Amino acid sequence: MPEIQMPKLSDTMTEGTLVAWKKKKGDQVSAGEVLAEIETDKATMEWESPEDGTLTEIYVQEGGKVNVGDKIGFIRGEGEEAPKQEAPTQKKKTEAVPEKKPQAETEKPAPAEAAEKETAPPQQKDTGAAVSAARAETTQQKPQAREQKTEEARVKASPVARRVAAELGVDLATVKGTGPDGRITETDVRAAAKSVAAVVDRGGAKPATKTTPVKSGESARIQLSGMRKVIAQRLVESLGPVPHFYLTIDINAGPLMEAREELKSAGEGADAAKITVNDFVLKAAVMAAVKVPRVNASFDNDAIVQYADVDLGVAVAIEDGLLTPVIRAAQDKSLREISALAKDLAHRARNKRMKPEEFQGGTFTVSNLGGLGIDSFSAVINPPQGFILAVGKVTKSPVVDNCDQVMVGHRMSITMSCDHRVIDGALGAEYLKELRHLLENPALLMV
């Protein structure tokens, strides 16, 4: 349909921020063409136009926050007309008000009433008296009615703007709207809240937009983006209710490095040359989950839910935070396919080209900071998943071989963070044992 609404771009999204319009009012747009950038609770994404036409209306300005499903614009197709629903409705209310309004009604009826008293029969006189009484009552209630009508007819504000105004103590009657037909947006309310004259002191409560002054020694205070707020909330939700415990193994990464070098020697032009150590880890994590299927599960109130497919989440660091694109049914994909999908998803995540369904769900996640020089670390589980793997870098260290000789070897640390409600220590150890076996015998991963 031509009316475009704030899309639901993630499973937990309830509102979105319109970061930027990529088209101006009056521009021609085509289906699939980037229309706007929208910040969700997980990422800032480019949103594509749902159809062809002309962008005739923009209801939400850049920086505005609206609930999922609220109108943000209108695309007019060929032969269609832009909607005039909201403005006309409000105009009708405004036009209907004068019929019962002040001077136009209290002054004009006077001659008519006089004429009625002279010419009307007894029954009509009674009617006239009733009308006069009703009008007198209306006149007495005039101040209260005028307030309500002014609020309804003259103050045009989005639901979000009204909610924010209530939170910040902003009188909407004092705010100048910058939206369509003078409609007040959330941005207008927040701008007004910065002015001391526009803020009502509610028992000493500080307005939400009032920033804490920079303390001595601080260079700046950076307000949290929507994504960082959700990351903070999700991590607290995870570490609080989810009982974490950690299992760590150090694997012999020598065979893995040899296999990687062999593939690399095949030539940079070959697909196999592009397979990384992380690709081996991803494939091994999936195969180990197939061998030990009880770890591929999550906790759901009074039950443990086990999954038939291994939907592998791959943690990707982006400028504003973290995304976990998901490789669906990874157990059915080869090492090369997993490698290609992981790279494609990571590239599109960093360039804000992800589709909502590509980062929702996942039965467990792999987070690798080895490329950033981290030896080992513990990751926080992404609820409702049962575990997450934290992978460190491959390091050279002295090791003792089977002949009790000290030699230089390659070692890699992997830590498994488990939800104790789903995975017990013995089950986690069983999974890591299988993971170690696969990584120390990489030929098994290429079958």
Side-chain angles (χ1 to χ4, degrees):
M1 58 188 289
E3 182 180 280
I4 52 178
Q5 303 172 338
M6 174 60 71
K8 187 177 179 70
L9 297 177
S10 77
D11 51 352
T12 57
M13 178 179 173
T14 57
E15 65 177 16
T17 301
L18 206 149
V19 177
W21 284 102
K22 296 301 183 182
K23 293 290 182 181
K24 299 188 297 292
K25 187 175 178 179
D27 284 357
Q28 294 289 325
V29 295
S30 302
E33 190 175 7
V34 176
L35 189 62
E37 279 190 4
I38 293 175
E39 182 184 77
T40 73
D41 57 349
K42 294 186 177 178
T44 300
M45 307 175 169
E46 291 179 336
W47 185 53
E48 299 175 351
S49 172
E51 58 183 88
D52 299 334
T54 303
L55 182 61
T56 56
E57 296 292 340
I58 290 178
Y59 300 131
V60 179
Q61 302 304 313
E62 293 183 353
K65 276 187 182 179
V66 295
N67 294 327
V68 169
D70 284 357
K71 292 189 297 183
I72 61 174
F74 186 88
I75 296 177
R76 184 180 65 196
E78 189 174 350
E80 294 178 341
E81 292 185 2
K84 298 273 183 178
Q85 297 175 353
E86 188 171 320
T89 301
Q90 292 176 345
K91 284 181 182 176
K92 283 179 184 176
K93 286 182 182 176
T94 308
E95 289 167 4
V97 170
E99 293 179 6
K100 294 185 181 180
K101 258 189 180 179
Q103 300 175 355
E105 293 177 354
T106 54
E107 292 175 4
K108 290 182 183 178
E113 285 178 24
E116 281 178 8
K117 285 180 182 178
E118 293 175 5
T119 60
Q123 291 179 352
Q124 292 181 353
K125 284 182 182 179
D126 293 340
T127 306
V131 171
S132 298
R135 283 173 180 158
E137 188 178 345
T138 303
T139 305
Q140 291 173 359
Q141 297 174 352
K142 192 192 320 179
Q144 185 180 353
R146 184 181 300 171
E147 264 182 44
Q148 293 173 349
K149 288 168 186 173
T150 301
E151 179 68 20
E152 272 185 41
R154 295 186 181 177
V155 179
K156 302 175 184 177
S158 68
V160 176
R162 291 184 185 278
R163 175 172 57 79
V164 173
E167 291 174 358
L168 303 184
V170 175
D171 182 3
L172 289 175
T174 65
V175 181
K176 184 178 180 181
T178 60
D181 298 321
R183 186 182 180 88
I184 296 172
T185 65
E186 182 196 5
T187 305
D188 299 327
V189 175
R190 293 193 181 279
K194 292 179 181 178
S195 171
V196 178
V199 178
V200 178
D201 183 12
R202 295 190 166 192
K206 295 181 180 179
T209 53
K210 198 170 184 179
T211 56
T212 305
V214 178
K215 297 177 183 178
S216 176
E218 295 178 349
S219 61
R221 293 182 67 87
I222 302 171
Q223 295 300 310
L224 294 180
S225 65
M227 172 182 268
R228 292 241 54 98
K229 286 179 182 177
V230 171
I231 289 174
Q233 178 186 346
R234 295 277 288 169
L235 292 182
V236 170
E237 288 175 355
S238 178
L239 279 176
V242 178
H244 285 58
F245 77 94
Y246 309 94
L247 301 173
T248 302
I249 57 171
D250 286 317
I251 71 161
N252 176 12
L256 192 61
M257 298 303 291
E258 290 174 8
R260 171 71 187 97
E261 287 301 318
E262 287 178 10
L263 291 174
K264 192 174 181 180
S265 65
E268 288 300 322
D271 289 340
K274 300 174 184 177
I275 294 175
T276 65
V277 170
N278 191 55
D279 297 330
F280 280 103
V281 174
L282 296 178
K283 177 62 176 175
V286 171
M287 290 182 66
V290 172
K291 293 286 184 70
V292 188
R294 285 191 297 155
V295 300
N296 191 44
S298 65
F299 184 80
D300 185 19
N301 294 321
D302 59 349
I304 293 175
V305 180
Q306 292 191 344
Y307 301 100
D309 285 335
V310 178
D311 293 335
L312 175 65
V314 183
V316 177
I318 61 175
E319 184 178 354
D320 297 330
L322 183 73
L323 273 180
T324 52
V326 178
I327 299 175
R328 305 289 176 186
Q331 77 278 4
D332 297 330
K333 294 175 174 58
S334 67
L335 174 63
R336 185 176 298 181
E337 289 172 328
I338 287 177
S339 173
L341 283 170
K343 290 177 177 62
D344 175 61
L345 289 170
H347 174 75
R348 288 192 288 113
R350 294 188 181 104
N351 288 278
K352 303 175 183 177
R353 300 291 295 176
M354 293 285 296
K355 297 176 182 177
E357 61 271 17
E358 290 177 324
F359 58 79
Q360 294 174 1
T363 55
F364 70 88
T365 299
V366 173
S367 179
N368 192 332
L369 293 179
L372 298 177
I374 301 301
D375 293 330
S376 64
F377 68 104
S378 299
V380 179
I381 297 170
N382 183 20
Q385 296 174 7
F387 74 96
I388 183 172
L389 293 178
V391 183
K393 71 175 183 178
V394 176
T395 59
K396 289 183 178 180
S397 58
V399 296
V400 178
D401 63 13
N402 294 331
C403 299
D404 293 334
Q405 298 295 314
V406 177
M407 57 179 291
V408 176
H410 292 86
R411 287 292 182 269
M412 181 169 64
S413 174
I414 299 178
T415 298
M416 181 181 186
S417 303
C418 306
D419 181 345
H420 216 323
R421 299 170 301 177
V422 180
I423 300 171
D424 292 325
L427 179 59
E430 183 183 353
Y431 173 80
L432 289 179
K433 179 182 178 181
E434 187 62 40
L435 181 65
R436 183 204 299 272
H437 175 68
L438 290 167
L439 288 174
E440 292 183 350
N441 298 275
L444 297 174
L445 303 173
M446 294 183 280
V447 176

Coordinates of all heavy atoms in Angstrom, one line a residue, residues 40-117:
T40 N 17.2 0.7 14.7 CA 16.4 -0.2 15.5 C 17.1 -0.4 16.8 O 18.1 0.3 17.1 CB 16.3 -1.6 14.7 OG1 17.5 -2.3 14.8 CG2 15.9 -1.4 13.3
D41 N 16.6 -1.4 17.6 CA 17.3 -1.7 18.8 C 18.5 -2.5 18.6 O 19.2 -2.8 19.6 CB 16.3 -2.4 19.8 CG 15.8 -3.7 19.1 OD1 16.0 -3.9 17.9 OD2 15.1 -4.5 19.8
K42 N 18.8 -2.9 17.4 CA 20.0 -3.7 17.2 C 21.0 -3.1 16.2 O 22.2 -3.4 16.2 CB 19.6 -5.1 16.6 CG 18.8 -5.9 17.7 CD 18.5 -7.3 17.2 CE 17.8 -8.1 18.3 NZ 17.4 -9.4 17.8
A43 N 20.5 -2.3 15.3 CA 21.4 -1.7 14.3 C 20.8 -0.6 13.6 O 19.6 -0.3 13.7 CB 21.8 -2.8 13.2
T44 N 21.6 0.2 12.8 CA 21.1 1.2 11.9 C 21.1 0.6 10.5 O 22.2 0.1 10.0 CB 22.0 2.4 11.9 OG1 22.0 3.0 13.3 CG2 21.5 3.5 11.0
M45 N 20.0 0.5 9.9 CA 19.8 -0.2 8.6 C 19.3 0.7 7.5 O 18.5 1.6 7.8 CB 18.9 -1.4 8.8 CG 19.2 -2.3 9.8 SD 17.9 -3.4 9.7 CE 18.4 -4.5 10.7
E46 N 19.6 0.4 6.3 CA 19.0 1.0 5.2 C 17.7 0.3 4.9 O 17.6 -0.9 4.9 CB 19.9 0.9 4.0 CG 21.2 1.8 4.1 CD 22.1 1.7 2.9 OE1 22.0 0.6 2.2 OE2 22.9 2.6 2.7
W47 N 16.6 1.1 4.7 CA 15.3 0.5 4.5 C 14.9 0.8 3.0 O 15.0 2.0 2.6 CB 14.3 1.1 5.5 CG 13.0 0.4 5.3 CD1 12.7 -0.9 5.4 CD2 11.7 1.1 5.2 NE1 11.3 -1.1 5.2 CE2 10.7 0.1 5.1 CE3 11.3 2.4 5.1 CZ2 9.4 0.4 4.9 CZ3 10.0 2.7 4.9 CH2 9.0 1.7 4.8
E48 N 14.5 -0.2 2.3 CA 14.2 -0.1 0.9 C 12.7 0.3 0.7 O 11.8 -0.1 1.5 CB 14.5 -1.3 0.2 CG 16.0 -1.7 0.2 CD 16.3 -3.0 -0.4 OE1 15.4 -3.7 -0.7 OE2 17.5 -3.3 -0.5
S49 N 12.4 1.0 -0.4 CA 11.0 1.4 -0.7 C 10.2 0.1 -1.1 O 10.7 -0.8 -1.8 CB 11.0 2.3 -1.9 OG 9.7 2.5 -2.4
P50 N 9.0 0.0 -0.5 CA 8.2 -1.2 -0.8 C 7.6 -1.2 -2.2 O 7.1 -2.2 -2.7 CB 7.1 -1.1 0.3 CG 7.0 0.3 0.6 CD 8.4 0.9 0.4
E51 N 7.5 0.0 -2.9 CA 6.9 0.1 -4.2 C 7.4 1.3 -5.0 O 8.1 2.1 -4.5 CB 5.4 0.1 -4.1 CG 4.9 1.3 -3.3 CD 3.4 1.2 -3.1 OE1 2.9 0.5 -2.1 OE2 2.7 1.8 -3.9
D52 N 7.0 1.3 -6.3 CA 7.3 2.4 -7.2 C 6.3 3.6 -6.9 O 5.2 3.4 -6.5 CB 7.2 2.0 -8.6 CG 8.1 0.9 -9.0 OD1 9.2 0.8 -8.3 OD2 7.9 0.1 -9.9
G53 N 6.8 4.8 -7.2 CA 5.9 6.0 -7.1 C 6.7 7.2 -6.7 O 7.9 7.3 -7.0
T54 N 6.0 8.2 -6.2 CA 6.6 9.5 -5.8 C 6.4 9.7 -4.3 O 5.3 9.5 -3.8 CB 5.9 10.7 -6.5 OG1 5.9 10.4 -7.9 CG2 6.5 12.0 -6.2
L55 N 7.5 10.0 -3.6 CA 7.4 10.3 -2.2 C 6.8 11.7 -2.0 O 7.4 12.7 -2.1 CB 8.8 10.3 -1.6 CG 8.9 10.5 -0.1 CD1 8.2 9.4 0.7 CD2 10.4 10.5 0.4
T56 N 5.5 11.7 -1.8 CA 4.7 12.9 -1.7 C 4.6 13.5 -0.3 O 4.4 14.7 -0.1 CB 3.3 12.7 -2.3 OG1 2.6 11.7 -1.6 CG2 3.3 12.4 -3.7
E57 N 4.7 12.6 0.7 CA 4.6 13.1 2.1 C 5.7 12.5 3.0 O 6.0 11.3 2.8 CB 3.2 12.7 2.7 CG 2.0 13.4 2.0 CD 2.0 14.9 2.2 OE1 2.6 15.4 3.2 OE2 1.3 15.6 1.4
I58 N 6.2 13.3 3.9 CA 7.2 12.8 4.9 C 6.6 13.3 6.2 O 6.5 14.5 6.5 CB 8.6 13.4 4.7 CG1 9.2 12.8 3.5 CG2 9.4 13.2 5.9 CD1 10.6 13.4 3.1
Y59 N 6.1 12.3 7.0 CA 5.5 12.6 8.3 C 6.4 12.6 9.5 O 6.1 13.2 10.5 CB 4.4 11.5 8.6 CG 3.3 11.4 7.5 CD1 2.9 10.2 7.0 CD2 2.7 12.6 7.1 CE1 1.9 10.2 6.0 CE2 1.7 12.5 6.1 CZ 1.3 11.3 5.6 OH 0.3 11.2 4.7
V60 N 7.6 12.0 9.3 CA 8.5 11.9 10.4 C 9.9 12.5 9.9 O 10.4 12.1 8.9 CB 8.8 10.5 10.9 CG1 9.8 10.5 12.0 CG2 7.5 9.9 11.4
Q61 N 10.3 13.5 10.6 CA 11.6 14.2 10.2 C 12.8 13.4 10.7 O 12.6 12.5 11.6 CB 11.6 15.6 10.8 CG 10.4 16.5 10.4 CD 10.3 16.6 8.9 OE1 11.3 16.8 8.2 NE2 9.1 16.4 8.3
E62 N 13.9 13.7 10.2 CA 15.2 13.0 10.6 C 15.4 13.2 12.1 O 15.3 14.3 12.6 CB 16.3 13.5 9.8 CG 16.3 13.2 8.3 CD 17.5 13.6 7.5 OE1 18.3 14.3 8.1 OE2 17.6 13.2 6.3
G63 N 15.7 12.1 12.8 CA 15.9 12.2 14.2 C 14.7 11.8 15.0 O 14.8 11.6 16.2
G64 N 13.6 11.7 14.4 CA 12.3 11.5 15.1 C 12.2 10.0 15.4 O 12.6 9.1 14.6
K65 N 11.6 9.7 16.6 CA 11.3 8.3 17.0 C 9.8 8.1 16.9 O 9.0 8.9 17.3 CB 11.8 8.1 18.5 CG 13.2 7.8 18.6 CD 13.5 7.4 20.1 CE 15.0 7.1 20.3 NZ 15.2 6.8 21.7
V66 N 9.5 6.9 16.3 CA 8.0 6.6 16.3 C 7.9 5.1 16.6 O 8.8 4.3 16.4 CB 7.4 6.9 14.9 CG1 7.4 8.4 14.6 CG2 8.2 6.2 13.8
N67 N 6.7 4.7 17.0 CA 6.4 3.3 17.3 C 6.3 2.5 16.0 O 5.9 3.1 14.9 CB 5.1 3.2 18.1 CG 5.2 3.8 19.4 OD1 6.2 3.8 20.1 ND2 4.1 4.4 19.9
V68 N 6.5 1.3 16.1 CA 6.4 0.4 14.9 C 4.9 0.4 14.5 O 4.0 0.4 15.3 CB 6.7 -1.1 15.3 CG1 6.3 -2.1 14.2 CG2 8.2 -1.2 15.6
G69 N 4.7 0.6 13.1 CA 3.4 0.7 12.6 C 2.9 2.1 12.4 O 1.9 2.3 11.7
D70 N 3.5 3.1 13.0 CA 3.1 4.5 12.8 C 3.5 5.0 11.4 O 4.5 4.5 10.8 CB 3.8 5.4 13.8 CG 3.2 5.3 15.2 OD1 2.2 4.6 15.3 OD2 3.6 6.0 16.1
K71 N 2.7 5.9 10.8 CA 3.0 6.4 9.5 C 4.3 7.2 9.5 O 4.5 8.0 10.4 CB 1.8 7.3 9.0 CG 0.5 6.6 8.8 CD -0.5 7.5 8.1 CE -0.9 8.6 9.0 NZ -1.9 9.5 8.4
I72 N 5.1 7.0 8.5 CA 6.3 7.8 8.3 C 6.3 8.6 7.0 O 7.1 9.5 6.8 CB 7.6 7.0 8.5 CG1 7.7 5.9 7.5 CG2 7.6 6.4 9.9 CD1 9.0 5.1 7.6
G73 N 5.5 8.1 6.1 CA 5.5 8.8 4.8 C 4.4 8.2 3.9 O 3.7 7.3 4.2
F74 N 4.4 8.8 2.6 CA 3.4 8.3 1.7 C 4.0 8.3 0.3 O 4.6 9.3 -0.2 CB 2.2 9.3 1.7 CG 1.0 8.8 0.8 CD1 0.0 8.0 1.3 CD2 0.9 9.2 -0.5 CE1 -1.0 7.5 0.5 CE2 -0.1 8.8 -1.3 CZ -1.1 7.9 -0.8
I75 N 3.9 7.2 -0.4 CA 4.4 7.0 -1.8 C 3.1 7.0 -2.7 O 2.3 6.1 -2.6 CB 5.2 5.8 -1.9 CG1 6.5 5.9 -1.1 CG2 5.6 5.6 -3.4 CD1 7.3 4.6 -1.1
R76 N 3.0 8.0 -3.6 CA 1.9 8.0 -4.5 C 2.2 7.3 -5.8 O 3.2 7.6 -6.4 CB 1.5 9.5 -4.8 CG 0.3 9.6 -5.6 CD 0.0 11.1 -5.9 NE 1.0 11.7 -6.6 CZ 1.2 13.0 -6.8 NH1 0.4 13.8 -6.1 NH2 2.2 13.5 -7.5
G77 N 1.4 6.3 -6.1 CA 1.6 5.7 -7.4 C 0.9 6.4 -8.5 O 0.3 7.5 -8.3
E78 N 1.1 5.9 -9.7 CA 0.5 6.6 -10.9 C -1.0 6.6 -10.8 O -1.6 5.6 -10.6 CB 0.9 5.9 -12.2 CG 0.6 6.7 -13.4 CD 1.2 6.0 -14.7 OE1 2.0 5.1 -14.5 OE2 0.8 6.4 -15.8
G79 N -1.6 7.8 -10.9 CA -3.0 8.0 -10.8 C -3.6 8.0 -9.4 O -4.8 8.2 -9.3
E80 N -2.8 8.0 -8.4 CA -3.2 8.0 -7.0 C -3.1 9.4 -6.5 O -2.3 10.2 -7.0 CB -2.5 7.1 -6.1 CG -2.7 5.6 -6.5 CD -1.9 4.7 -5.6 OE1 -0.9 5.2 -5.0 OE2 -2.2 3.5 -5.5
E81 N -3.8 9.7 -5.4 CA -3.7 11.0 -4.8 C -3.2 10.8 -3.4 O -3.5 9.9 -2.7 CB -5.1 11.7 -4.7 CG -5.6 12.1 -6.1 CD -6.9 12.9 -6.0 OE1 -7.3 13.1 -4.9 OE2 -7.4 13.3 -7.1
A82 N -2.4 11.8 -2.9 CA -1.9 11.8 -1.6 C -3.0 11.9 -0.6 O -4.0 12.6 -0.8 CB -0.9 12.9 -1.3
P83 N -3.0 11.2 0.5 CA -4.1 11.2 1.5 C -4.2 12.5 2.2 O -3.3 13.2 2.5 CB -3.7 10.1 2.5 CG -2.2 10.1 2.5 CD -1.8 10.4 1.1
K84 N -5.5 12.9 2.4 CA -5.7 14.1 3.2 C -6.6 13.8 4.4 O -7.4 14.5 4.8 CB -6.5 15.1 2.3 CG -5.8 15.5 1.0 CD -4.9 16.7 1.3 CE -4.2 17.1 0.0 NZ -3.4 18.3 0.2
Q85 N -6.3 12.6 4.9 CA -7.2 12.1 6.0 C -7.0 12.8 7.3 O -7.9 13.3 7.9 CB -6.8 10.6 6.3 CG -7.1 9.7 5.1 CD -6.7 8.3 5.3 OE1 -6.1 8.0 6.3 NE2 -7.0 7.5 4.3
E86 N -5.7 13.0 7.7 CA -5.5 13.5 9.0 C -5.8 15.0 9.1 O -6.6 15.4 9.9 CB -4.0 13.3 9.4 CG -3.7 13.7 10.8 CD -2.3 13.3 11.2 OE1 -1.8 12.3 10.8 OE2 -1.6 14.1 11.9
A87 N -5.3 15.8 8.1 CA -5.5 17.2 8.1 C -7.0 17.6 8.0 O -7.5 18.3 8.7 CB -4.7 17.9 7.0
P88 N -7.7 16.9 7.0 CA -9.1 17.3 6.8 C -9.9 16.9 8.1 O -10.8 17.7 8.5 CB -9.6 16.4 5.7 CG -8.4 16.1 4.9 CD -7.3 16.1 5.9
T89 N -9.6 15.8 8.7 CA -10.3 15.4 9.9 C -10.2 16.5 11.0 O -11.1 16.9 11.7 CB -9.8 14.1 10.5 OG1 -10.0 13.1 9.5 CG2 -10.6 13.7 11.7
Q90 N -9.0 17.0 11.2 CA -8.7 18.0 12.2 C -9.4 19.3 11.8 O -9.9 20.0 12.6 CB -7.2 18.2 12.4 CG -6.6 17.0 13.0 CD -5.1 17.2 13.1 OE1 -4.5 18.0 12.5 NE2 -4.5 16.3 13.9
K91 N -9.4 19.6 10.5 CA -10.1 20.8 10.0 C -11.5 20.7 10.3 O -12.2 21.7 10.6 CB -9.8 21.0 8.5 CG -8.4 21.5 8.2 CD -8.2 21.7 6.7 CE -6.8 22.2 6.4 NZ -6.6 22.3 5.0
K92 N -12.1 19.5 10.0 CA -13.6 19.4 10.3 C -13.9 19.7 11.7 O -14.9 20.3 12.1 CB -14.0 18.0 9.9 CG -14.2 17.8 8.4 CD -14.6 16.4 8.1 CE -14.6 16.1 6.6 NZ -14.9 14.7 6.3
K93 N -13.0 19.1 12.6 CA -13.2 19.4 14.1 C -13.2 20.9 14.3 O -14.0 21.4 15.1 CB -12.2 18.7 14.9 CG -12.4 17.2 15.0 CD -11.3 16.6 15.9 CE -11.4 15.1 15.9 NZ -10.4 14.5 16.7
T94 N -12.2 21.5 13.7 CA -12.1 23.0 13.9 C -13.3 23.7 13.4 O -13.7 24.7 13.9 CB -10.8 23.5 13.2 OG1 -9.7 22.6 13.6 CG2 -10.5 24.9 13.6
E95 N -13.8 23.3 12.2 CA -14.9 24.0 11.6 C -16.2 23.7 12.4 O -17.0 24.5 12.5 CB -15.1 23.5 10.1 CG -14.0 24.0 9.2 CD -14.0 23.2 7.9 OE1 -14.9 22.4 7.7 OE2 -13.2 23.5 7.1
A96 N -16.3 22.5 13.0 CA -17.5 22.2 13.7 C -17.5 23.0 15.0 O -18.6 23.2 15.5 CB -17.5 20.7 14.0
V97 N -16.4 23.4 15.5 CA -16.4 24.1 16.8 C -17.1 25.4 16.8 O -17.9 25.7 17.6 CB -14.9 24.3 17.3 CG1 -14.8 25.2 18.5 CG2 -14.3 22.9 17.6
P98 N -16.9 26.2 15.7 CA -17.5 27.5 15.6 C -19.0 27.5 15.8 O -19.6 28.4 16.2 CB -17.1 28.1 14.3 CG -15.8 27.4 14.0 CD -15.9 26.1 14.6
E99 N -19.7 26.4 15.4 CA -21.1 26.3 15.5 C -21.6 26.4 16.9 O -22.7 26.9 17.2 CB -21.6 25.0 14.9 CG -21.4 24.9 13.4 CD -21.9 23.5 12.9 OE1 -22.5 22.8 13.7 OE2 -21.7 23.2 11.7
K100 N -20.7 26.0 17.9 CA -21.1 26.1 19.3 C -20.2 27.1 20.0 O -20.1 27.1 21.2 CB -21.0 24.7 20.0 CG -22.0 23.7 19.5 CD -21.8 22.5 20.3 CE -22.8 21.4 19.8 NZ -22.7 20.2 20.5
K101 N -19.4 27.8 19.2 CA -18.4 28.7 19.8 C -19.0 30.1 20.1 O -20.0 30.5 19.5 CB -17.2 28.8 18.9 CG -16.1 28.0 19.4 CD -14.9 28.3 18.6 CE -13.7 27.5 19.1 NZ -12.5 27.7 18.3
P102 N -18.3 30.7 21.0 CA -18.6 32.0 21.6 C -19.5 33.0 20.9 O -20.7 32.8 20.9 CB -17.2 32.6 21.7 CG -16.2 31.5 21.3 CD -17.0 30.3 21.1
Q103 N -18.9 34.1 20.3 CA -19.7 35.2 19.9 C -20.6 34.9 18.7 O -21.7 35.4 18.7 CB -18.7 36.3 19.5 CG -17.8 36.7 20.7 CD -16.8 37.7 20.4 OE1 -16.7 38.1 19.2 NE2 -16.1 38.2 21.3
A104 N -20.1 34.1 17.8 CA -21.0 33.8 16.6 C -22.3 33.2 17.0 O -23.3 33.4 16.3 CB -20.2 32.9 15.7
E105 N -22.3 32.5 18.2 CA -23.6 31.8 18.6 C -24.3 32.6 19.6 O -25.5 32.5 19.7 CB -23.3 30.4 19.1 CG -22.7 29.6 18.0 CD -22.3 28.2 18.5 OE1 -22.4 28.0 19.8 OE2 -22.0 27.3 17.7
T106 N -23.7 33.4 20.4 CA -24.4 34.1 21.5 C -24.9 35.4 21.1 O -25.9 35.9 21.7 CB -23.4 34.3 22.7 OG1 -22.2 35.0 22.2 CG2 -23.0 33.0 23.3
E107 N -24.4 35.9 20.0 CA -24.9 37.2 19.5 C -26.0 37.1 18.5 O -27.0 37.7 18.5 CB -23.7 38.0 18.9 CG -22.7 38.5 20.0 CD -21.5 39.2 19.4 OE1 -21.6 39.4 18.1 OE2 -20.6 39.5 20.1
K108 N -25.8 36.1 17.5 CA -26.7 36.0 16.4 C -28.1 35.5 16.8 O -29.1 36.0 16.3 CB -26.1 35.1 15.3 CG -25.0 35.7 14.5 CD -24.5 34.8 13.5 CE -23.3 35.4 12.8 NZ -22.7 34.5 11.7
P109 N -28.2 34.6 17.7 CA -29.5 34.0 18.0 C -30.4 35.1 18.7 O -31.6 34.9 18.8 CB -29.2 32.9 19.0 CG -27.8 32.5 18.7 CD -27.2 33.8 18.3
A110 N -29.9 36.2 19.3 CA -30.7 37.1 20.0 C -31.9 37.6 19.2 O -33.1 37.5 19.6 CB -29.9 38.3 20.5
P111 N -31.7 38.1 17.9 CA -32.9 38.6 17.1 C -33.8 37.4 16.9 O -35.0 37.6 16.9 CB -32.2 39.1 15.9 CG -30.8 39.3 16.2 CD -30.5 38.4 17.3
A112 N -33.3 36.3 16.6 CA -34.2 35.1 16.3 C -35.0 34.8 17.4 O -36.2 34.5 17.3 CB -33.3 33.9 15.9
E113 N -34.5 34.8 18.6 CA -35.2 34.5 19.8 C -36.3 35.5 20.0 O -37.5 35.2 20.4 CB -34.3 34.5 21.0 CG -33.5 33.2 21.1 CD -32.5 33.3 22.3 OE1 -32.9 33.9 23.3 OE2 -31.5 32.6 22.2
A114 N -36.0 36.8 19.8 CA -37.0 37.9 19.9 C -38.2 37.6 19.0 O -39.3 37.8 19.3 CB -36.4 39.2 19.7
A115 N -37.8 37.2 17.7 CA -38.9 37.0 16.7 C -39.7 35.8 17.1 O -41.0 35.8 17.0 CB -38.3 36.7 15.3
E116 N -39.1 34.8 17.7 CA -39.8 33.6 18.1 C -40.8 33.9 19.2 O -41.9 33.4 19.2 CB -38.8 32.5 18.6 CG -38.2 31.8 17.5 CD -37.2 30.8 18.1 OE1 -37.1 30.6 19.3 OE2 -36.4 30.2 17.3
K117 N -40.4 34.8 20.1 CA -41.3 35.2 21.2 C -42.5 35.9 20.7 O -43.6 35.8 21.3 CB -40.5 36.1 22.2 CG -39.5 35.3 23.1 CD -38.8 36.2 24.0 CE -37.8 35.4 24.8 NZ -37.0 36.3 25.7

